[in-house]
Amino acid sequence: ERKENTIQFAHELLISGSELGCVFVVGFAIVLPIAKFILLVVGGILRHSRSSGKRSCARKSVMFVQRISKWASPDMFAYILLTYLIRGLNKPPILIGLMDLDIGFTCFATFCVASTISSLGVRAPTKGEVGMDDGEPKTGFGFKPLPALVCTVVVCIVFVVMLVLGITRPCMALRLDMDLLFQSGKVDISLKPLVEAMHIQELAADDVTLWNCTKQLFEWIRPDAEDNREHWEVNSAVAFFLLSVLVIAFTVLDMLVLLMAAVFMQVTRRRPPVLLEVAMFLRKLSMLDVCVTGVFIIILAGRIYRANGVIVRFQEGWLYLLIAELCHYIAYWAVTLTGRFAGLRDARRDSFREAPPSDSSSSDGGSEGEEDR
């Protein structure tokens, strides 16, 4: 039995020659959270300054934290997918593949999700508070409503196709190269006929799809005597929530909200403030892009096992997921830029401006008219 934390894993990456993997692991899991904390403290202190420049710095600090907050999470998805990959090798009595997510994962996942949500609750100083113009958005770079709608519809169609392919096709694969083991001397060459007869190389082949991983995590939650699981697995429940809700559901929901916003702007020629705010909130919580980065980290980290004959590589599903997330980004920027800078009026403000006169004013106006006559 072997237990390993993030720092030990990063150190192993470093000494094994995977410096880039070590940089990504340390950067996302350690450096980024520290930077978020420092920026929030700076923003909290400077927001009460009398200097407009310092208040502007506080605004930028808070908004930057809100943008990067979820990017402390790629390692979290890397551990989830790696657990599924290793457990997939459990084919006794020939192969034993056991891996469990421990209390460290629980704490880290709770921190990532809680810090991402809480950062959105930190109010950044408004433009008016820092001395900037807070009036109606000026016409600038941005689509008109019709081109924005066409662009959004097209990328939504591509997004759906790519997402379905991405979650149902393997995004990464593990293969066992016995020739590397024989060449390195870790397995005696005299055992080659026995290894080939047992088909170990075929048994060790394993592919990872997000759909199968999500289903398997759900099955791992409950105890199973046949699989030697005597207790409920809280970490499997946490991992299932992260993949099913934050990675898949929130990303799809955000695309639906963006499509609704594009239709609203084309029909009413007004800016939908509520829909844009919801889209911004969902984009900062949807983690398909973070999950794609997590797969990339696993591939980098997997190089340390190459000497042992274990090869981890990309599969086509990863490319489909990457394209789907690019479509998500394009739709978001097309809709939000149109809403902010295409000269559209605010539907919420116009509703107040166009409110009908009250009955009292109508009656007063009528009585005054009678007196004039």
Side-chain angles (χ1 to χ4, degrees), residues 41-78:
V41 171
V42 171
I45 295 174
L46 296 183
R47 70 184 305 152
H48 301 293
S49 174
R50 295 182 179 181
S51 171
S52 60
K54 293 182 179 179
R55 293 197 301 271
S56 177
C57 181
R59 171 181 168 83
K60 293 177 181 178
S61 297
V62 174
M63 294 182 67
F64 184 70
V65 168
Q66 291 175 344
R67 289 191 180 99
I68 68 170
S69 185
K70 68 178 180 180
W71 284 101
S73 309
D75 295 347
M76 177 176 65
F77 291 105

PDB file of all heavy atoms in Angstrom, residues 41-78:
ATOM      1  N   VAL A  41      -7.082  39.586  -0.724  1.00  0.00           N
ATOM      2  CA  VAL A  41      -6.685  40.446   0.397  1.00  0.00           C
ATOM      3  C   VAL A  41      -6.364  41.851  -0.097  1.00  0.00           C
ATOM      4  O   VAL A  41      -6.800  42.858   0.486  1.00  0.00           O
ATOM      5  CB  VAL A  41      -5.470  39.835   1.132  1.00  0.00           C
ATOM      6  CG1 VAL A  41      -4.928  40.822   2.154  1.00  0.00           C
ATOM      7  CG2 VAL A  41      -5.868  38.538   1.820  1.00  0.00           C
ATOM      8  N   VAL A  42      -5.613  41.943  -1.200  1.00  0.00           N
ATOM      9  CA  VAL A  42      -5.280  43.245  -1.770  1.00  0.00           C
ATOM     10  C   VAL A  42      -6.538  43.986  -2.192  1.00  0.00           C
ATOM     11  O   VAL A  42      -6.701  45.190  -1.919  1.00  0.00           O
ATOM     12  CB  VAL A  42      -4.321  43.074  -2.967  1.00  0.00           C
ATOM     13  CG1 VAL A  42      -4.146  44.391  -3.712  1.00  0.00           C
ATOM     14  CG2 VAL A  42      -2.976  42.554  -2.501  1.00  0.00           C
ATOM     15  N   GLY A  43      -7.446  43.274  -2.843  1.00  0.00           N
ATOM     16  CA  GLY A  43      -8.689  43.908  -3.268  1.00  0.00           C
ATOM     17  C   GLY A  43      -9.529  44.381  -2.102  1.00  0.00           C
ATOM     18  O   GLY A  43     -10.148  45.458  -2.151  1.00  0.00           O
ATOM     19  N   GLY A  44      -9.574  43.589  -1.012  1.00  0.00           N
ATOM     20  CA  GLY A  44     -10.349  43.978   0.162  1.00  0.00           C
ATOM     21  C   GLY A  44      -9.785  45.194   0.871  1.00  0.00           C
ATOM     22  O   GLY A  44     -10.530  46.004   1.440  1.00  0.00           O
ATOM     23  N   ILE A  45      -8.472  45.350   0.835  1.00  0.00           N
ATOM     24  CA  ILE A  45      -7.829  46.496   1.496  1.00  0.00           C
ATOM     25  C   ILE A  45      -7.954  47.761   0.648  1.00  0.00           C
ATOM     26  O   ILE A  45      -8.331  48.831   1.142  1.00  0.00           O
ATOM     27  CB  ILE A  45      -6.350  46.185   1.788  1.00  0.00           C
ATOM     28  CG1 ILE A  45      -6.245  45.040   2.810  1.00  0.00           C
ATOM     29  CG2 ILE A  45      -5.632  47.429   2.306  1.00  0.00           C
ATOM     30  CD1 ILE A  45      -4.825  44.571   3.055  1.00  0.00           C
ATOM     31  N   LEU A  46      -7.676  47.649  -0.643  1.00  0.00           N
ATOM     32  CA  LEU A  46      -7.629  48.834  -1.499  1.00  0.00           C
ATOM     33  C   LEU A  46      -9.002  49.368  -1.888  1.00  0.00           C
ATOM     34  O   LEU A  46      -9.112  50.525  -2.298  1.00  0.00           O
ATOM     35  CB  LEU A  46      -6.835  48.516  -2.775  1.00  0.00           C
ATOM     36  CG  LEU A  46      -5.362  48.168  -2.583  1.00  0.00           C
ATOM     37  CD1 LEU A  46      -4.687  47.942  -3.933  1.00  0.00           C
ATOM     38  CD2 LEU A  46      -4.639  49.255  -1.805  1.00  0.00           C
ATOM     39  N   ARG A  47     -10.039  48.558  -1.773  1.00  0.00           N
ATOM     40  CA  ARG A  47     -11.356  49.020  -2.194  1.00  0.00           C
ATOM     41  C   ARG A  47     -11.868  50.165  -1.327  1.00  0.00           C
ATOM     42  O   ARG A  47     -12.757  50.920  -1.744  1.00  0.00           O
ATOM     43  CB  ARG A  47     -12.351  47.875  -2.183  1.00  0.00           C
ATOM     44  CG  ARG A  47     -12.732  47.360  -0.803  1.00  0.00           C
ATOM     45  CD  ARG A  47     -13.641  46.162  -0.907  1.00  0.00           C
ATOM     46  NE  ARG A  47     -14.811  46.452  -1.703  1.00  0.00           N
ATOM     47  CZ  ARG A  47     -15.495  45.552  -2.405  1.00  0.00           C
ATOM     48  NH1 ARG A  47     -15.062  44.295  -2.406  1.00  0.00           N
ATOM     49  NH2 ARG A  47     -16.543  45.895  -3.102  1.00  0.00           N
ATOM     50  N   HIS A  48     -11.346  50.323  -0.119  1.00  0.00           N
ATOM     51  CA  HIS A  48     -11.776  51.404   0.773  1.00  0.00           C
ATOM     52  C   HIS A  48     -10.821  52.598   0.734  1.00  0.00           C
ATOM     53  O   HIS A  48     -10.955  53.519   1.545  1.00  0.00           O
ATOM     54  CB  HIS A  48     -11.869  50.878   2.201  1.00  0.00           C
ATOM     55  CG  HIS A  48     -12.820  49.732   2.354  1.00  0.00           C
ATOM     56  ND1 HIS A  48     -14.185  49.855   2.185  1.00  0.00           N
ATOM     57  CD2 HIS A  48     -12.594  48.412   2.632  1.00  0.00           C
ATOM     58  CE1 HIS A  48     -14.761  48.686   2.369  1.00  0.00           C
ATOM     59  NE2 HIS A  48     -13.823  47.789   2.638  1.00  0.00           N
ATOM     60  N   SER A  49      -9.861  52.590  -0.181  1.00  0.00           N
ATOM     61  CA  SER A  49      -8.914  53.690  -0.273  1.00  0.00           C
ATOM     62  C   SER A  49      -9.580  54.935  -0.861  1.00  0.00           C
ATOM     63  O   SER A  49     -10.562  54.854  -1.611  1.00  0.00           O
ATOM     64  CB  SER A  49      -7.727  53.277  -1.154  1.00  0.00           C
ATOM     65  OG  SER A  49      -6.860  54.362  -1.379  1.00  0.00           O
ATOM     66  N   ARG A  50      -9.058  56.092  -0.513  1.00  0.00           N
ATOM     67  CA  ARG A  50      -9.566  57.345  -1.073  1.00  0.00           C
ATOM     68  C   ARG A  50      -9.058  57.581  -2.487  1.00  0.00           C
ATOM     69  O   ARG A  50      -9.624  58.390  -3.216  1.00  0.00           O
ATOM     70  CB  ARG A  50      -9.149  58.517  -0.175  1.00  0.00           C
ATOM     71  CG  ARG A  50      -9.776  58.478   1.217  1.00  0.00           C
ATOM     72  CD  ARG A  50      -9.345  59.692   2.031  1.00  0.00           C
ATOM     73  NE  ARG A  50      -9.968  59.680   3.356  1.00  0.00           N
ATOM     74  CZ  ARG A  50      -9.769  60.638   4.269  1.00  0.00           C
ATOM     75  NH1 ARG A  50      -8.966  61.673   3.996  1.00  0.00           N
ATOM     76  NH2 ARG A  50     -10.370  60.551   5.441  1.00  0.00           N
ATOM     77  N   SER A  51      -8.006  56.902  -2.865  1.00  0.00           N
ATOM     78  CA  SER A  51      -7.436  57.054  -4.194  1.00  0.00           C
ATOM     79  C   SER A  51      -8.237  56.243  -5.209  1.00  0.00           C
ATOM     80  O   SER A  51      -8.455  55.033  -5.024  1.00  0.00           O
ATOM     81  CB  SER A  51      -5.974  56.602  -4.194  1.00  0.00           C
ATOM     82  OG  SER A  51      -5.463  56.541  -5.511  1.00  0.00           O
ATOM     83  N   SER A  52      -8.669  56.886  -6.274  1.00  0.00           N
ATOM     84  CA  SER A  52      -9.421  56.181  -7.309  1.00  0.00           C
ATOM     85  C   SER A  52      -8.543  55.145  -8.010  1.00  0.00           C
ATOM     86  O   SER A  52      -9.033  54.103  -8.456  1.00  0.00           O
ATOM     87  CB  SER A  52      -9.969  57.175  -8.333  1.00  0.00           C
ATOM     88  OG  SER A  52      -8.902  57.887  -8.961  1.00  0.00           O
ATOM     89  N   GLY A  53      -7.238  55.421  -8.105  1.00  0.00           N
ATOM     90  CA  GLY A  53      -6.340  54.451  -8.715  1.00  0.00           C
ATOM     91  C   GLY A  53      -6.243  53.165  -7.920  1.00  0.00           C
ATOM     92  O   GLY A  53      -6.229  52.071  -8.493  1.00  0.00           O
ATOM     93  N   LYS A  54      -6.192  53.268  -6.590  1.00  0.00           N
ATOM     94  CA  LYS A  54      -6.148  52.073  -5.754  1.00  0.00           C
ATOM     95  C   LYS A  54      -7.476  51.329  -5.779  1.00  0.00           C
ATOM     96  O   LYS A  54      -7.503  50.096  -5.752  1.00  0.00           O
ATOM     97  CB  LYS A  54      -5.778  52.458  -4.323  1.00  0.00           C
ATOM     98  CG  LYS A  54      -4.344  52.979  -4.173  1.00  0.00           C
ATOM     99  CD  LYS A  54      -4.014  53.306  -2.733  1.00  0.00           C
ATOM    100  CE  LYS A  54      -2.568  53.790  -2.600  1.00  0.00           C
ATOM    101  NZ  LYS A  54      -2.227  54.129  -1.198  1.00  0.00           N
ATOM    102  N   ARG A  55      -8.581  52.084  -5.832  1.00  0.00           N
ATOM    103  CA  ARG A  55      -9.891  51.421  -5.933  1.00  0.00           C
ATOM    104  C   ARG A  55     -10.016  50.699  -7.273  1.00  0.00           C
ATOM    105  O   ARG A  55     -10.610  49.622  -7.358  1.00  0.00           O
ATOM    106  CB  ARG A  55     -11.012  52.444  -5.761  1.00  0.00           C
ATOM    107  CG  ARG A  55     -11.107  53.049  -4.367  1.00  0.00           C
ATOM    108  CD  ARG A  55     -12.448  53.715  -4.149  1.00  0.00           C
ATOM    109  NE  ARG A  55     -12.698  54.778  -5.123  1.00  0.00           N
ATOM    110  CZ  ARG A  55     -12.350  56.051  -4.970  1.00  0.00           C
ATOM    111  NH1 ARG A  55     -11.682  56.419  -3.872  1.00  0.00           N
ATOM    112  NH2 ARG A  55     -12.620  56.953  -5.891  1.00  0.00           N
ATOM    113  N   SER A  56      -9.454  51.289  -8.313  1.00  0.00           N
ATOM    114  CA  SER A  56      -9.441  50.623  -9.615  1.00  0.00           C
ATOM    115  C   SER A  56      -8.607  49.344  -9.562  1.00  0.00           C
ATOM    116  O   SER A  56      -8.982  48.319 -10.157  1.00  0.00           O
ATOM    117  CB  SER A  56      -8.882  51.571 -10.677  1.00  0.00           C
ATOM    118  OG  SER A  56      -8.791  50.921 -11.935  1.00  0.00           O
ATOM    119  N   CYS A  57      -7.489  49.383  -8.826  1.00  0.00           N
ATOM    120  CA  CYS A  57      -6.663  48.184  -8.649  1.00  0.00           C
ATOM    121  C   CYS A  57      -7.433  47.105  -7.894  1.00  0.00           C
ATOM    122  O   CYS A  57      -7.334  45.916  -8.224  1.00  0.00           O
ATOM    123  CB  CYS A  57      -5.382  48.556  -7.908  1.00  0.00           C
ATOM    124  SG  CYS A  57      -4.245  47.176  -7.655  1.00  0.00           S
ATOM    125  N   ALA A  58      -8.218  47.512  -6.896  1.00  0.00           N
ATOM    126  CA  ALA A  58      -9.034  46.556  -6.152  1.00  0.00           C
ATOM    127  C   ALA A  58     -10.070  45.918  -7.068  1.00  0.00           C
ATOM    128  O   ALA A  58     -10.322  44.704  -6.997  1.00  0.00           O
ATOM    129  CB  ALA A  58      -9.724  47.263  -4.992  1.00  0.00           C
ATOM    130  N   ARG A  59     -10.681  46.707  -7.942  1.00  0.00           N
ATOM    131  CA  ARG A  59     -11.672  46.187  -8.885  1.00  0.00           C
ATOM    132  C   ARG A  59     -11.042  45.149  -9.812  1.00  0.00           C
ATOM    133  O   ARG A  59     -11.593  44.064 -10.023  1.00  0.00           O
ATOM    134  CB  ARG A  59     -12.253  47.342  -9.695  1.00  0.00           C
ATOM    135  CG  ARG A  59     -13.132  46.924 -10.872  1.00  0.00           C
ATOM    136  CD  ARG A  59     -13.639  48.142 -11.642  1.00  0.00           C
ATOM    137  NE  ARG A  59     -14.231  47.750 -12.896  1.00  0.00           N
ATOM    138  CZ  ARG A  59     -15.475  47.316 -13.037  1.00  0.00           C
ATOM    139  NH1 ARG A  59     -16.256  47.222 -11.979  1.00  0.00           N
ATOM    140  NH2 ARG A  59     -15.954  46.975 -14.214  1.00  0.00           N
ATOM    141  N   LYS A  60      -9.860  45.477 -10.347  1.00  0.00           N
ATOM    142  CA  LYS A  60      -9.180  44.549 -11.252  1.00  0.00           C
ATOM    143  C   LYS A  60      -8.764  43.275 -10.523  1.00  0.00           C
ATOM    144  O   LYS A  60      -8.834  42.180 -11.098  1.00  0.00           O
ATOM    145  CB  LYS A  60      -7.966  45.234 -11.865  1.00  0.00           C
ATOM    146  CG  LYS A  60      -8.314  46.386 -12.800  1.00  0.00           C
ATOM    147  CD  LYS A  60      -7.069  47.077 -13.317  1.00  0.00           C
ATOM    148  CE  LYS A  60      -7.424  48.248 -14.233  1.00  0.00           C
ATOM    149  NZ  LYS A  60      -6.209  48.963 -14.711  1.00  0.00           N
ATOM    150  N   SER A  61      -8.342  43.395  -9.257  1.00  0.00           N
ATOM    151  CA  SER A  61      -7.922  42.224  -8.490  1.00  0.00           C
ATOM    152  C   SER A  61      -9.077  41.259  -8.270  1.00  0.00           C
ATOM    153  O   SER A  61      -8.951  40.051  -8.487  1.00  0.00           O
ATOM    154  CB  SER A  61      -7.336  42.655  -7.143  1.00  0.00           C
ATOM    155  OG  SER A  61      -6.177  43.434  -7.317  1.00  0.00           O
ATOM    156  N   VAL A  62     -10.216  41.801  -7.849  1.00  0.00           N
ATOM    157  CA  VAL A  62     -11.386  40.954  -7.588  1.00  0.00           C
ATOM    158  C   VAL A  62     -11.881  40.305  -8.872  1.00  0.00           C
ATOM    159  O   VAL A  62     -12.187  39.099  -8.906  1.00  0.00           O
ATOM    160  CB  VAL A  62     -12.496  41.777  -6.917  1.00  0.00           C
ATOM    161  CG1 VAL A  62     -13.768  40.942  -6.785  1.00  0.00           C
ATOM    162  CG2 VAL A  62     -12.046  42.264  -5.542  1.00  0.00           C
ATOM    163  N   MET A  63     -11.967  41.084  -9.945  1.00  0.00           N
ATOM    164  CA  MET A  63     -12.461  40.532 -11.208  1.00  0.00           C
ATOM    165  C   MET A  63     -11.502  39.491 -11.765  1.00  0.00           C
ATOM    166  O   MET A  63     -11.939  38.482 -12.353  1.00  0.00           O
ATOM    167  CB  MET A  63     -12.668  41.667 -12.211  1.00  0.00           C
ATOM    168  CG  MET A  63     -13.769  42.641 -11.824  1.00  0.00           C
ATOM    169  SD  MET A  63     -14.030  43.944 -13.039  1.00  0.00           S
ATOM    170  CE  MET A  63     -14.670  43.005 -14.421  1.00  0.00           C
ATOM    171  N   PHE A  64     -10.203  39.671 -11.563  1.00  0.00           N
ATOM    172  CA  PHE A  64      -9.226  38.691 -12.036  1.00  0.00           C
ATOM    173  C   PHE A  64      -9.361  37.379 -11.255  1.00  0.00           C
ATOM    174  O   PHE A  64      -9.282  36.296 -11.841  1.00  0.00           O
ATOM    175  CB  PHE A  64      -7.811  39.247 -11.894  1.00  0.00           C
ATOM    176  CG  PHE A  64      -6.747  38.346 -12.439  1.00  0.00           C
ATOM    177  CD1 PHE A  64      -6.615  38.134 -13.791  1.00  0.00           C
ATOM    178  CD2 PHE A  64      -5.866  37.689 -11.575  1.00  0.00           C
ATOM    179  CE1 PHE A  64      -5.630  37.292 -14.298  1.00  0.00           C
ATOM    180  CE2 PHE A  64      -4.886  36.849 -12.065  1.00  0.00           C
ATOM    181  CZ  PHE A  64      -4.766  36.654 -13.441  1.00  0.00           C
ATOM    182  N   VAL A  65      -9.586  37.476  -9.946  1.00  0.00           N
ATOM    183  CA  VAL A  65      -9.787  36.273  -9.139  1.00  0.00           C
ATOM    184  C   VAL A  65     -11.029  35.527  -9.593  1.00  0.00           C
ATOM    185  O   VAL A  65     -11.032  34.284  -9.685  1.00  0.00           O
ATOM    186  CB  VAL A  65      -9.887  36.647  -7.644  1.00  0.00           C
ATOM    187  CG1 VAL A  65     -10.377  35.458  -6.821  1.00  0.00           C
ATOM    188  CG2 VAL A  65      -8.557  37.125  -7.118  1.00  0.00           C
ATOM    189  N   GLN A  66     -12.100  36.251  -9.911  1.00  0.00           N
ATOM    190  CA  GLN A  66     -13.321  35.601 -10.376  1.00  0.00           C
ATOM    191  C   GLN A  66     -13.099  34.874 -11.700  1.00  0.00           C
ATOM    192  O   GLN A  66     -13.718  33.834 -11.948  1.00  0.00           O
ATOM    193  CB  GLN A  66     -14.428  36.650 -10.519  1.00  0.00           C
ATOM    194  CG  GLN A  66     -14.904  37.218  -9.184  1.00  0.00           C
ATOM    195  CD  GLN A  66     -15.914  38.333  -9.352  1.00  0.00           C
ATOM    196  OE1 GLN A  66     -16.071  38.902 -10.446  1.00  0.00           O
ATOM    197  NE2 GLN A  66     -16.618  38.654  -8.294  1.00  0.00           N
ATOM    198  N   ARG A  67     -12.222  35.414 -12.538  1.00  0.00           N
ATOM    199  CA  ARG A  67     -11.961  34.783 -13.830  1.00  0.00           C
ATOM    200  C   ARG A  67     -11.101  33.525 -13.697  1.00  0.00           C
ATOM    201  O   ARG A  67     -11.300  32.559 -14.436  1.00  0.00           O
ATOM    202  CB  ARG A  67     -11.277  35.773 -14.769  1.00  0.00           C
ATOM    203  CG  ARG A  67     -12.185  36.898 -15.251  1.00  0.00           C
ATOM    204  CD  ARG A  67     -11.522  37.686 -16.372  1.00  0.00           C
ATOM    205  NE  ARG A  67     -12.372  38.757 -16.857  1.00  0.00           N
ATOM    206  CZ  ARG A  67     -12.264  40.031 -16.486  1.00  0.00           C
ATOM    207  NH1 ARG A  67     -11.309  40.365 -15.622  1.00  0.00           N
ATOM    208  NH2 ARG A  67     -13.067  40.948 -16.960  1.00  0.00           N
ATOM    209  N   ILE A  68     -10.148  33.536 -12.790  1.00  0.00           N
ATOM    210  CA  ILE A  68      -9.196  32.416 -12.708  1.00  0.00           C
ATOM    211  C   ILE A  68      -9.547  31.419 -11.610  1.00  0.00           C
ATOM    212  O   ILE A  68      -8.858  30.410 -11.461  1.00  0.00           O
ATOM    213  CB  ILE A  68      -7.761  32.933 -12.464  1.00  0.00           C
ATOM    214  CG1 ILE A  68      -7.646  33.549 -11.059  1.00  0.00           C
ATOM    215  CG2 ILE A  68      -7.349  33.922 -13.537  1.00  0.00           C
ATOM    216  CD1 ILE A  68      -6.220  33.862 -10.638  1.00  0.00           C
ATOM    217  N   SER A  69     -10.607  31.681 -10.859  1.00  0.00           N
ATOM    218  CA  SER A  69     -10.860  30.894  -9.651  1.00  0.00           C
ATOM    219  C   SER A  69     -10.972  29.399  -9.948  1.00  0.00           C
ATOM    220  O   SER A  69     -10.421  28.570  -9.231  1.00  0.00           O
ATOM    221  CB  SER A  69     -12.132  31.394  -8.957  1.00  0.00           C
ATOM    222  OG  SER A  69     -12.309  30.721  -7.738  1.00  0.00           O
ATOM    223  N   LYS A  70     -11.674  29.033 -11.017  1.00  0.00           N
ATOM    224  CA  LYS A  70     -11.883  27.602 -11.280  1.00  0.00           C
ATOM    225  C   LYS A  70     -10.623  26.900 -11.774  1.00  0.00           C
ATOM    226  O   LYS A  70     -10.575  25.662 -11.831  1.00  0.00           O
ATOM    227  CB  LYS A  70     -13.008  27.419 -12.296  1.00  0.00           C
ATOM    228  CG  LYS A  70     -12.680  27.903 -13.703  1.00  0.00           C
ATOM    229  CD  LYS A  70     -13.848  27.615 -14.637  1.00  0.00           C
ATOM    230  CE  LYS A  70     -13.554  28.082 -16.065  1.00  0.00           C
ATOM    231  NZ  LYS A  70     -14.705  27.787 -16.969  1.00  0.00           N
ATOM    232  N   TRP A  71      -9.591  27.680 -12.125  1.00  0.00           N
ATOM    233  CA  TRP A  71      -8.399  27.067 -12.703  1.00  0.00           C
ATOM    234  C   TRP A  71      -7.464  26.480 -11.657  1.00  0.00           C
ATOM    235  O   TRP A  71      -6.335  26.086 -11.988  1.00  0.00           O
ATOM    236  CB  TRP A  71      -7.672  28.072 -13.583  1.00  0.00           C
ATOM    237  CG  TRP A  71      -8.383  28.256 -14.878  1.00  0.00           C
ATOM    238  CD1 TRP A  71      -9.212  29.283 -15.222  1.00  0.00           C
ATOM    239  CD2 TRP A  71      -8.382  27.349 -15.981  1.00  0.00           C
ATOM    240  NE1 TRP A  71      -9.720  29.083 -16.481  1.00  0.00           N
ATOM    241  CE2 TRP A  71      -9.229  27.910 -16.971  1.00  0.00           C
ATOM    242  CE3 TRP A  71      -7.757  26.139 -16.242  1.00  0.00           C
ATOM    243  CZ2 TRP A  71      -9.455  27.283 -18.189  1.00  0.00           C
ATOM    244  CZ3 TRP A  71      -7.980  25.508 -17.444  1.00  0.00           C
ATOM    245  CH2 TRP A  71      -8.818  26.084 -18.414  1.00  0.00           C
ATOM    246  N   ALA A  72      -7.923  26.413 -10.417  1.00  0.00           N
ATOM    247  CA  ALA A  72      -7.186  25.631  -9.419  1.00  0.00           C
ATOM    248  C   ALA A  72      -7.592  24.159  -9.470  1.00  0.00           C
ATOM    249  O   ALA A  72      -7.057  23.345  -8.717  1.00  0.00           O
ATOM    250  CB  ALA A  72      -7.446  26.198  -8.024  1.00  0.00           C
ATOM    251  N   SER A  73      -8.527  23.815 -10.368  1.00  0.00           N
ATOM    252  CA  SER A  73      -9.167  22.493 -10.344  1.00  0.00           C
ATOM    253  C   SER A  73      -8.658  21.464 -11.342  1.00  0.00           C
ATOM    254  O   SER A  73      -9.131  20.316 -11.280  1.00  0.00           O
ATOM    255  CB  SER A  73     -10.683  22.659 -10.542  1.00  0.00           C
ATOM    256  OG  SER A  73     -11.216  23.603  -9.649  1.00  0.00           O
ATOM    257  N   PRO A  74      -7.785  21.756 -12.311  1.00  0.00           N
ATOM    258  CA  PRO A  74      -7.385  20.694 -13.254  1.00  0.00           C
ATOM    259  C   PRO A  74      -6.823  19.451 -12.592  1.00  0.00           C
ATOM    260  O   PRO A  74      -7.111  18.320 -13.026  1.00  0.00           O
ATOM    261  CB  PRO A  74      -6.329  21.381 -14.134  1.00  0.00           C
ATOM    262  CG  PRO A  74      -6.681  22.809 -14.097  1.00  0.00           C
ATOM    263  CD  PRO A  74      -7.201  23.052 -12.709  1.00  0.00           C
ATOM    264  N   ASP A  75      -6.019  19.625 -11.542  1.00  0.00           N
ATOM    265  CA  ASP A  75      -5.454  18.458 -10.855  1.00  0.00           C
ATOM    266  C   ASP A  75      -6.539  17.582 -10.243  1.00  0.00           C
ATOM    267  O   ASP A  75      -6.389  16.360 -10.151  1.00  0.00           O
ATOM    268  CB  ASP A  75      -4.484  18.906  -9.764  1.00  0.00           C
ATOM    269  CG  ASP A  75      -3.270  19.620 -10.326  1.00  0.00           C
ATOM    270  OD1 ASP A  75      -3.062  19.550 -11.548  1.00  0.00           O
ATOM    271  OD2 ASP A  75      -2.536  20.242  -9.553  1.00  0.00           O
ATOM    272  N   MET A  76      -7.632  18.209  -9.827  1.00  0.00           N
ATOM    273  CA  MET A  76      -8.752  17.465  -9.249  1.00  0.00           C
ATOM    274  C   MET A  76      -9.324  16.486 -10.273  1.00  0.00           C
ATOM    275  O   MET A  76      -9.561  15.305  -9.971  1.00  0.00           O
ATOM    276  CB  MET A  76      -9.810  18.475  -8.791  1.00  0.00           C
ATOM    277  CG  MET A  76     -11.064  17.892  -8.225  1.00  0.00           C
ATOM    278  SD  MET A  76     -12.142  19.225  -7.632  1.00  0.00           S
ATOM    279  CE  MET A  76     -12.538  20.075  -9.168  1.00  0.00           C
ATOM    280  N   PHE A  77      -9.532  16.943 -11.493  1.00  0.00           N
ATOM    281  CA  PHE A  77     -10.053  16.055 -12.539  1.00  0.00           C
ATOM    282  C   PHE A  77      -8.988  15.052 -12.985  1.00  0.00           C
ATOM    283  O   PHE A  77      -9.324  13.936 -13.387  1.00  0.00           O
ATOM    284  CB  PHE A  77     -10.539  16.889 -13.725  1.00  0.00           C
ATOM    285  CG  PHE A  77     -11.774  17.686 -13.425  1.00  0.00           C
ATOM    286  CD1 PHE A  77     -11.694  19.047 -13.217  1.00  0.00           C
ATOM    287  CD2 PHE A  77     -13.008  17.068 -13.316  1.00  0.00           C
ATOM    288  CE1 PHE A  77     -12.824  19.796 -12.930  1.00  0.00           C
ATOM    289  CE2 PHE A  77     -14.144  17.798 -13.026  1.00  0.00           C
ATOM    290  CZ  PHE A  77     -14.047  19.160 -12.821  1.00  0.00           C
ATOM    291  N   ALA A  78      -7.728  15.445 -12.907  1.00  0.00           N
ATOM    292  CA  ALA A  78      -6.664  14.502 -13.245  1.00  0.00           C
ATOM    293  C   ALA A  78      -6.688  13.301 -12.291  1.00  0.00           C
ATOM    294  O   ALA A  78      -6.559  12.147 -12.726  1.00  0.00           O
ATOM    295  CB  ALA A  78      -5.306  15.210 -13.186  1.00  0.00           C
TER     296      ALA A  78
END
